[in-house]
Amino acid sequence: MTHLKKYWPLHLMVLPSLLFLIAFSYLPMGGIVMAFQNFKPRLGITGSEWVGLDNFRFLFEREDSIQVIWNTLLIAMLKIIFNLIAPFTFAIFLNEVRKELFKRYVQTMVYLPHFLSWVLLGGILLNVLSTDGGFVNRILESVGFDAIPFLMDGSWFRFTVVASDIWKEFGYGAIVFLAALSNVNPSLYEAAEVDGASRLKQTLHITIPAMLPITIVVGTLALGNVLNAGFDQIFNLYNPLVYDSGDILDTFVYRTGIIGGNMGFATAIGLFKSVISMVLIFISYRAAYKWANYRIF
Amino acid sequence: MYHKTLSYRVFTVFNTIGLLLLSIACIVPLIHVLAVSFSAKSAADANLVSLLPVDFTTEAYKKTIDNPLFLHSIWVSVKRTVIGTALTLLLAFLAAYPLSKENSEFKGRSVYAWLFIFAMVFNGGLVPFYIVMQKLHLIGSFWALVLPGAVNIYLTILMMNFFRAVPKELQEAAMIDGAGHFRTLFAIFLPVSTPAIATLGLFSIVFHWNSWFDGLLYTTNSHQFPLATFLQTVIITRDLSSMSLDPTSLALISQKTVNAAQIFIGAMPVLLVYPFLQRFFVKGLVLGSVKE
C-alpha cells in the first residue's frame, strides 16, 4: 500500500501505453493457439478442431513452404552481409573528403531513399526496371547490352531485391559509422603523420579500427533479421512469375492466411518465424552487450 | 603531408567523382519520375523521357487532382498522420518518464520494461492480429490506422534515453520544492525535451505517411484508403476492380504520366520535411544507443 501511495503517478504514466500493448500486442499473442488448430473463423478458437503439431509438420513437408524458408534465409542473409559492407566502405571513402560542403551534399543525397516508402520506390522501380522501355534497360541497350528482366526472372529478382535494398539503405546505415569516425581524436592522425605513415596506412590502422566496435554491434544486432527478408519491399516488387525465388515467409503468410483463408497454417508459419527471431534477438543483444558493452533498454 | 602526395591527389579526384556518381544514383530515379510526370502522354508512352520533361505539360497533375478518390485518400493520410503522431508522442512522453527511472528508484520499473521489450521482440503474427482487429470491431474503421501503432516502442525507448540524459539535479530541485512526478514531468522535462519531441514527431510523421499495409488489411472499401494504400493498389497491384470507377477514369488511372505525378505527390511531404529530418534524425539515432 505504501508502495502505491508513493509511486502511483509513475504507474499512472505507464498505464495508457500498457493498455495499448495489452490490446494490440498481448491479446493477439493469445491467438497463437490457432497454430495448433484447423482454425475456422465460423467456429472460432473454442470450436475449431485441434490438430496438434500438424500445421508445423506441413511447414517442413510442403515443397512450397520449404522453398519459401530457403528464399527468406537467402535474401535476408545477403541483405545483412551487404548492408554491413556497403555503409562501412562508403563511410571510409566519405571520411577522406576534406570539403565540408561536398560532404554534406553527398550525405543529403544518399540518406534520402531511406525515407521514401517501398510503395513509392516500388512504383518507381517497376517503371524504370521494366523490360518494356524502362529507363535502366534503355541505358543498357544504348551501350550494347540486352535488356535485363530484373523483376520478371527468378534469379534476377533476388539480385534486384538485394541491390535495391542496399541502394535504399547504405547511406542511412553509414550514419552510425560516420558518428564513430567523428569521435576519433585528430591527434592520432597527426602522430601517424609525424611518424611518416601514408594515408592508406592511417586508414588501415586508425580509421578502420575506430569503426570496428560499432561494426560488431550493428552486425550482431542484424542477426535478429535472419528471417526478415523485407515484406514491404518484396510485396511491392514481386509477381507470380517470381514466386519460386522471391516468395518469403511474410508474403507467404499473407497469401495463405488472409487471402487463402488457411488461418491455422498461416499462424503456425508466423509463430515459427516469431519464435526463431526472438531467440536470435536475445542472443544477439546479449552478445552485443558482452562484446561491445552495448545496451538499449 | 599525405595531402600533397601525387597518389593521394589522384585518389581524391577519383574519390570525388565516385561519390558524386553515387549521390546522383540515389536521386536519379526520382528525377526520372518527376520528368515523366511533366511530360506529354504520348512521349511517356513511347519511352522518350529520360531526365527532362518532353513536351512540358501539367496535364497529369490536373487529372490527378480531378480524381476525388485521390484527394480523399490524401485527407485520410493527413488525418491519420496528425492524430497518430499526437497520440504516439503523448504516450511515449508519459511512459518514458517512469521507464527512465532506475530500478531502485521505481520498484516495478523492470516489470514494465520487460513487458515493453517482449512486445517489441515477439508478436502473435499477422492472422491472430487480424482476428483481434475483427473482435475489437476496428475493421473498416478509421481508428484501425491509428490505434494499433499508437505505442511505438522504439520511439518510447528514444524518449527514455533522452530523459536519462536530463541532469538529475533538475529533478531533485523540483522534488525538494514539493513538485510531484506529474509536475516534474510537465514543468521540468517538457521544456527541455523539445529537440527529442521534434525528432520523435518527425519519425512518427514519416512512419504514418508511408504506412500502407494497414490501409489494405483493415479497410473495407477504397474510400477508407490512406494515400499510400491508394497508390499501392493503383500503381503496384493495378487492382482497379475495388475502385468502382467508370471506364474513363479507369483509362486515366493507368496512364504512365498520371502514375508518375501520383508518386511524386506521394513523396512530396517527405521531401518537404526532409531538411528538418536530416538535422534531427542523426541525433535520434545517437539517442537510440546508450554506450557506457
Side-chain angles (χ1 to χ4, degrees), chain A residues 67-68 71-72 75 154 157-158 161 229 234-235 238-239 241-249 251 255:
Chain A
Q67 181 67 40
V68 163
N71 293 344
T72 309
I75 294 174
F157 183 77
R158 282 183 191 150
V161 164
I234 293 191
F235 191 82
Y238 80 165
N239 60 71
L241 279 181
V242 294
Y243 279 175
D244 270 352
S245 63
D247 202 11
I248 55 166
L249 283 171
T251 48
R255 285 206 324 280

Side-chain angles (χ1 to χ4, degrees), chain A residues 11 26 96 108 138 236 274, chain B residues 8 49 112 115 123 232 274:
Chain A
H11 289 288
Y26 287 98
E96 294 305 314
T108 306
R138 256 152 56 205
N236 286 311
S274 278
Chain B
Y8 193 75
V49 186
Y112 289 126
L115 283 171
N123 64 74
Q232 208 278 334
Y274 185 59

Side-chain angles (χ1 to χ4, degrees), chain A residues 83 86-87 90 110 165-175, chain B residues 22 26:
Chain A
N83 274 327
F90 170 70
V110 299
D165 192 59
I166 294 164
W167 169 75
K168 186 178 191 277
E169 301 297 342
F170 82 91
Y172 190 75
I175 291 175
Chain B
L22 204 58
C26 283

Side-chain angles (χ1 to χ4, degrees), chain B residues 13-240:
Chain B
V13 171
F14 279 103
N15 193 25
T16 310
I17 294 173
L19 289 172
L20 200 61
L21 289 176
L22 204 58
S23 68
I24 292 171
C26 283
I27 56 155
V28 133
L30 207 60
I31 293 176
H32 173 68
V33 168
L34 188 61
V36 172
S37 74
F38 281 114
S39 295
K41 182 183 179 311
S42 53
D45 287 343
N47 297 319
L48 296 173
V49 186
S50 295
L51 298 177
L52 289 171
V54 177
D55 305 329
F56 184 91
T57 166
T58 53
E59 198 59 31
Y61 286 90
K62 281 197 197 108
K63 284 180 184 169
T64 303
I65 289 169
D66 277 343
N67 182 352
L69 212 50
F70 181 81
L71 290 184
H72 186 74
S73 73
I74 290 185
W75 169 235
V76 175
S77 277
V78 169
K79 234 176 17 172
R80 76 168 288 175
T81 304
V82 171
I83 299 175
T85 300
L87 194 58
T88 297
L89 286 179
L90 180 69
L91 290 171
F93 183 72
L94 284 173
Y97 178 82
L99 287 174
S100 72
K101 300 282 171 211
E102 292 300 321
N103 284 341
S104 55
E105 287 176 282
F106 173 35
K107 303 237 169 10
R109 185 253 175 204
S110 61
V111 176
Y112 289 126
W114 275 106
L115 283 171
F116 274 76
I117 295 175
F118 191 69
M120 184 165 70
V121 299
F122 187 79
N123 64 74
L126 184 63
V127 176
F129 195 86
Y130 186 83
I131 306 270
V132 167
M133 294 294 282
Q134 266 180 338
K135 291 263 185 283
L136 294 173
H137 301 289
L138 282 170
I139 306 283
S141 154
F142 165 76
W143 295 101
L145 306 178
V146 173
L147 300 181
V151 173
N152 187 321
I153 300 175
Y154 171 71
L155 293 184
T156 311
I157 293 176
L158 285 192
M159 199 74 203
M160 177 192 84
N161 284 333
F162 181 84
F163 281 176
R164 282 191 171 154
V166 173
K168 284 263 183 290
E169 295 77 32
L170 272 178
Q171 308 172 44
E172 279 157 14
M175 288 289 188
I176 289 167
D177 288 348
H181 286 297
F182 275 99
R183 271 288 291 283
T184 312
L185 178 60
F186 285 99
I188 308 288
F189 279 70
L190 186 57
V192 298
S193 308
T194 0
I197 292 175
T199 310
L200 264 64
L202 285 168
F203 272 110
S204 177
I205 287 171
V206 173
F207 167 81
H208 270 287
W209 188 263
N210 284 344
S211 291
W212 57 277
F213 190 53
D214 48 5
L216 198 63
L217 268 186
Y218 310 130
T219 52
T220 42
N221 70 63
S222 53
H223 286 275
Q224 298 162 344
F225 282 174
L227 179 63
T229 310
F230 173 85
L231 293 176
Q232 208 278 334
T233 45
V234 169
I235 297 171
I236 312 271
T237 324
R238 303 210 174 96
D239 175 18
L240 305 173

